[in-house]
Amino acid sequence: MNTPIDQEIWQIHAWRNRLQSLMLLGLLFIYAGLLGLLILGGHGFFAILVFTALALSLTPSVSPGLTMRLYRAVKLLPHQAPGLHDRINILAKRAGLENKPDLYYIPSRMLNAFAVGSQAHSAIGVTDGLLKTLDQDELTGVLAHEVSHIRSNDIGVMGIADLFSRVTRVLSLLGQVLLLINIPLLVYQAATINWWVIALLVFAPSISALTQLALSRTREFDADLNAVRLTGNPEALARALAKIEYIQGRWFERVFFLVRVFLNPLCLGLIPL
């Protein structure tokens, strides 16, 4: 059943998600810039900006097909899965994509689907478990979610966020090493240690990682919102997400139970009563 979507509310949520994404990306850049300013001096912030721009421009784009082969995925041709290709064609046209994503089958019992690549060349992988569990409307909602990721260039956005996080980790490690080297000199000269600077060096990577996770969650919400707009069927996407969470949750519970059963006898002699 298709549900009408209030366009005004949709626009409010869409702009809110975009604003949150820009703010989180800005925070990731600020973390890296502050560390650059702290370690490299007055030109550190500018150096981080130049390095990031060069890294983004020189980073080679990985072929979606190569990424899919890492998951042992098999490309699905139109005659092998005509229904899936028809849905992808319709969703890609509604999303305004000039090139429709390639479809790949992943032989896994996990319930998962993911997108790789850019608007020019992209691919969507769907696991065997997902195909066998979801009905047609639910599967269409999941495919719309992945098409929305491609349309919004979320893969590129998260790539930039990951680059900022990596720069932050490297600078933090460099700063901690320099601090350890200079501790004897600081003690000898009885210099005052700025604990705020030390806290920034220690906790910046963790804060950056949490910000990256928040950005990922924001992009997921935005993809859900756009998927509903593409399909006009929020109930189907909600059912699909509920099924995935329920079945995957049960799978993880079984894994953790087996781990506890295996480890419990080993720990009996280590924990005093």
Side-chain angles (χ1 to χ4, degrees):
M1 180 182 68
N2 291 342
T3 302
I5 301 172
D6 191 313
Q7 292 298 319
E8 184 178 353
I9 295 178
W10 183 89
Q11 287 290 348
I12 291 173
H13 283 285
W15 279 109
R16 185 180 299 169
N17 287 336
R18 292 168 189 163
L19 180 61
Q20 288 176 349
S21 297
L22 287 174
M23 290 176 60
L24 291 170
L25 276 175
L27 284 175
L28 287 170
F29 174 72
I30 289 173
Y31 297 150
L34 283 176
L35 288 178
L37 183 64
L38 176 64
I39 298 170
L40 303 176
H43 299 289
F45 199 91
F46 179 74
I48 293 300
L49 178 62
V50 173
F51 171 79
T52 303
L54 287 174
L56 290 175
S57 61
L58 296 177
T59 300
S61 57
V62 180
S63 169
L66 177 61
T67 304
M68 287 298 176
R69 281 197 290 273
L70 297 177
Y71 291 90
R72 296 184 301 165
V74 179
K75 188 174 182 179
L76 288 174
L77 300 178
H79 71 274
Q80 294 174 315
L84 285 178
H85 277 275
D86 288 342
R87 290 174 214 164
I88 285 292
N89 286 332
I90 293 173
L91 293 172
K93 288 180 180 179
R94 290 180 180 177
L97 294 178
E98 294 184 2
N99 302 308
K100 79 176 186 67
D102 295 327
L103 274 174
Y104 283 82
Y105 167 82
I106 302 173
S108 171
R109 295 177 61 186
M110 299 287 290
L111 273 64
N112 192 22
F114 60 89
V116 293
S118 61
Q119 292 187 19
H121 188 197
S122 60
I124 295 176
V126 184
T127 64
D128 180 72
L130 194 74
L131 293 173
K132 291 181 177 178
T133 302
L134 303 184
D135 62 33
Q136 291 188 1
D137 289 339
E138 294 165 354
L139 187 58
T140 301
V142 172
L143 292 175
H145 176 96
E146 302 305 328
V147 168
S148 298
H149 276 311
I150 297 170
R151 177 64 181 84
S152 301
N153 197 28
D154 288 337
I155 298 94
V157 170
M158 294 311 300
I160 296 173
D162 183 64
L163 177 61
F164 284 147
S165 292
R166 290 175 185 272
V167 170
T168 300
R169 287 196 294 270
V170 171
L171 289 175
S172 176
L173 180 60
L174 177 61
Q176 293 178 51
V177 170
L178 292 176
L179 179 63
L180 290 174
I181 293 175
N182 287 280
I183 280 180
L185 183 61
L186 294 174
V187 173
Y188 176 75
Q189 294 180 348
T192 302
I193 298 177
N194 190 332
W195 294 105
W196 290 108
V197 172
I198 295 176
L200 178 62
L201 289 174
V202 173
F203 293 109
S206 298
I207 297 174
S208 181
L210 291 174
T211 305
Q212 189 176 357
L213 289 174
L215 176 62
S216 175
R217 181 48 49 193
T218 299
R219 302 316 303 155
E220 290 297 327
F221 286 148
D222 192 62
D224 288 339
L225 186 64
N226 284 305
V228 170
R229 191 185 189 193
L230 290 177
T231 63
N233 192 349
E235 291 85 0
L237 180 60
R239 290 199 312 270
L241 296 176
K243 281 185 180 180
I244 293 171
E245 182 178 1
Y246 175 72
I247 296 175
Q248 297 286 65
R250 291 182 60 188
W251 186 85
F252 282 117
E253 286 177 4
R254 289 196 293 269
V255 171
F256 286 133
F257 174 76
L258 291 175
V259 171
R260 287 183 60 188
V261 169
F262 175 75
L263 292 180
N264 190 48
L266 301 179
C267 298
L268 288 179
L270 301 178
I271 302 176
L273 297 177

